[in-house]
Amino acid sequence: MMERDLMDIRAETDELTTDKMWVIMGPQHPFSHGLWTLKVELDGEIITDAEPIVGYLHRGWEKECENRPYAKIVPMADRLCYAASMTYSHLYCMTVEKALDIEVPEKAQYIRVVSDEICRISSHLMWLAAVGTDLGNFTVFLWCMREREYWMDLFVRLCGARMTTNYPRIGGVRNDITDLFDRDVDRCTEHFEKSLWDIITLIDDSSIFVSRMKGTGILTREQCVNLGITGPAMRGNGVDFDIRRDDPYETYGKIDFEVPVMNDGDSYSRYMVRVEELFQSCRIIKQAMQKIRAIGKNAPYRLKVPTNVPACTAMCRLEDPRGESLMYLVADGSGKPYRLKVRSPIFTNVSASKPLVVGSRIADVPAIMAMIDMCLGETDR
């Protein structure tokens, strides 16, 4: 080709313009992990704007609570997030107990700590399994779901249910730990601490997995704080805050554990924070089980509580697997809440969609948004 022809082609390429276009990802897109939509504006493959849309799953949960007795809201709280059912029913019970101004028995507090950490492990494992399918690594999905089954079996030993556990009660827990649970919890913890290394090695050996996570979905520490992001997504941005340590509830203040924090602020940092949290949850479970055994079998695990709550307001928060969950109760002295408001972590975290994906390629969106660990049940309520 003559030199003059090449110059003409380069000139035409320099003048080439592309039209931006909006692409709708959701509400049934494979990346979405639930009913929500992410609208992205594309310039070629690069994302120039984004808008998250939720509301497809709204069930009026908070309004429904105004028509039910306090005790009958506990199983409803399980349904807020099926992956974190234990923590949500725990949070609701803590909020009502604060309004009643009662302190549950120490044994019940340790049992709640153990059950919350099992819930955290099973939730993180399901998240990691979903990330495996998002990035085309089906073996990660299989291994994570296999390990999750051991923890689900522990839930069955504890309360007879796998997902909607309905175990915490206002004033304590439904029943004491069973002998089978006491026997298997140590086995499960020791087995998991070894098998988790196999999963980590599998992921770190996958070039697709690592290249899709490192350097993508970067947020600054200031953006993270200003947007109100919490949980592992926040700690992956260098913000050293965990409610279990910094505003302890139940018996977390008596247990020794570390809060993992990473400073790179990308998808890989959020992945690493969750993996480290899995090890720390095992550490917490071991210590709490030692305390429960020291307290003894005949110790009380539940109080009798009144059906009516005096007129007052009460607010409680806890460290959910996805971040800070909060409930605000307004009681009018009757047997039903006057108002009950939920602050869910994902409803806030999803607001960071735009700064997370703008500037990235559209192929990186599934990996970036997977690190938020979406759960639409608690987001829309």
Side-chain angles (χ1 to χ4, degrees):
M1 190 176 290
M2 300 293 291
E3 185 178 353
R4 184 175 183 76
D5 293 336
L6 281 172
M7 291 176 65
D8 290 342
I9 292 172
R10 284 172 185 161
E12 288 175 4
T13 307
D14 290 342
E15 294 173 0
L16 186 66
T17 57
T18 57
D19 292 330
K20 292 181 179 179
M21 66 175 181
W22 282 93
V23 174
I24 310 297
M25 303 177 74
Q28 291 156 333
H29 193 281
F31 103 96
S32 60
H33 295 196
L35 294 175
W36 75 291
T37 292
L38 181 64
K39 288 173 63 180
V40 292
E41 186 190 50
L42 296 178
D43 184 2
E45 290 186 32
I46 304 300
I47 297 170
T48 56
D49 198 359
E51 179 186 355
I53 301 171
V54 298
Y56 297 97
L57 201 61
H58 187 57
R59 295 163 289 168
W61 189 91
E62 290 153 335
K63 199 66 182 173
E64 287 288 325
C65 290
E66 297 170 11
N67 297 313
R68 283 171 169 73
Y70 284 99
K72 292 190 175 180
I73 296 174
V74 177
M76 285 179 63
D78 291 341
R79 272 73 176 174
L80 275 172
C81 176
Y82 69 91
S85 59
M86 194 69 86
T87 54
Y88 268 107
S89 48
H90 179 194
L91 174 60
Y92 168 73
C93 291
M94 277 205 309
T95 309
V96 178
E97 287 156 7
K98 189 170 184 180
L100 289 168
D101 193 22
I102 60 172
E103 183 176 356
V104 302
E106 187 181 28
K107 186 173 188 179
Q109 294 185 39
Y110 277 114
I111 294 174
R112 285 178 173 185
V113 167
V114 171
S115 56
D116 275 9
E117 294 309 314
I118 293 175
C119 183
R120 192 180 316 280
I121 292 172
S122 63
S123 176
H124 281 2
L125 282 173
M126 197 170 71
W127 158 80
L128 192 52
V131 172
T133 55
D134 284 340
L135 299 184
N137 195 329
F138 194 62
T139 306
V140 171
F141 171 84
L142 289 175
W143 287 15
C144 289
M145 294 305 281
R146 179 195 65 196
E147 295 305 319
R148 184 170 177 266
E149 280 303 304
Y150 294 113
W151 298 103
M152 291 290 98
D153 287 345
L154 278 182
F155 271 156
V156 175
R157 302 256 191 281
L158 186 65
C159 59
R162 286 167 53 86
M163 299 183 75
T164 48
T165 46
N166 190 18
Y167 179 61
R169 289 288 184 274
I170 301 169
V173 293
R174 191 181 73 195
N175 52 268
D176 199 353
I177 60 169
T178 64
D179 292 337
L180 284 175
F181 179 86
D182 191 9
R183 184 196 70 183
D184 291 344
V185 66
D186 286 341
R187 293 179 181 177
C188 190
T189 307
E190 290 170 11
H191 163 79
F192 181 65
E193 286 177 322
K194 296 174 184 172
S195 59
L196 182 55
W197 282 110
D198 294 335
I199 298 173
I200 293 170
T201 305
L202 178 67
I203 291 172
D204 285 345
D205 285 348
S206 169
S207 57
I208 294 175
F209 220 108
V210 175
S211 64
R212 285 290 184 200
M213 292 195 294
K214 278 195 172 177
T216 62
I218 295 177
L219 280 183
T220 65
R221 192 174 184 274
E222 288 71 25
Q223 282 177 315
C224 186
V225 172
N226 291 337
L227 288 166
I229 295 174
T230 56
M234 173 188 69
R235 292 187 284 275
N237 286 65
V239 182
D240 187 8
F241 180 77
D242 189 312
I243 298 172
R244 294 174 295 173
R245 181 197 63 191
D246 300 310
D247 186 14
Y249 49 94
E250 305 298 10
T251 52
Y252 275 109
K254 302 176 183 176
I255 294 175
D256 180 32
F257 66 99
E258 296 173 6
V259 177
V261 178
M262 300 289 167
N263 295 310
D264 290 341
D266 59 0
S267 297
Y268 192 75
S269 295
R270 292 172 206 123
Y271 152 75
M272 283 300 298
V273 166
R274 285 192 174 89
V275 169
E276 288 292 333
E277 284 186 357
L278 290 171
F279 287 112
Q280 293 301 322
S281 291
C282 291
R283 188 175 169 187
I284 294 170
I285 290 171
K286 286 179 182 174
Q287 293 177 57
M289 284 304 301
Q290 287 177 357
K291 298 285 186 183
I292 292 170
R293 289 164 188 145
I295 291 171
K297 279 195 171 185
N298 296 323
Y301 54 84
R302 190 169 69 190
L303 298 175
K304 288 190 74 172
V305 296
T307 54
N308 288 8
V309 176
C312 66
T313 61
M315 183 177 71
C316 270
R317 61 178 181 170
L318 57 66
E319 192 68 35
D320 185 79
R322 290 162 182 76
E324 179 183 0
S325 295
L326 184 148
M327 282 195 187
Y328 179 67
L329 169 70
V330 180
D332 59 0
S334 68
K336 301 174 183 177
Y338 179 74
R339 290 285 186 276
L340 185 63
K341 174 66 179 171
V342 180
R343 188 271 191 198
S344 70
I346 297 302
F347 186 79
T348 308
N349 290 3
V350 78
S351 66
S353 300
K354 181 176 177 178
L356 276 169
V357 300
V358 167
S360 304
R361 294 182 183 278
I362 190 168
D364 288 328
V365 170
I368 293 172
M369 295 313 300
M371 297 304 148
I372 296 294
D373 193 9
M374 291 290 294
C375 178
L376 270 297
E378 52 111 297
T379 305
D380 278 350
R381 297 185 294 282

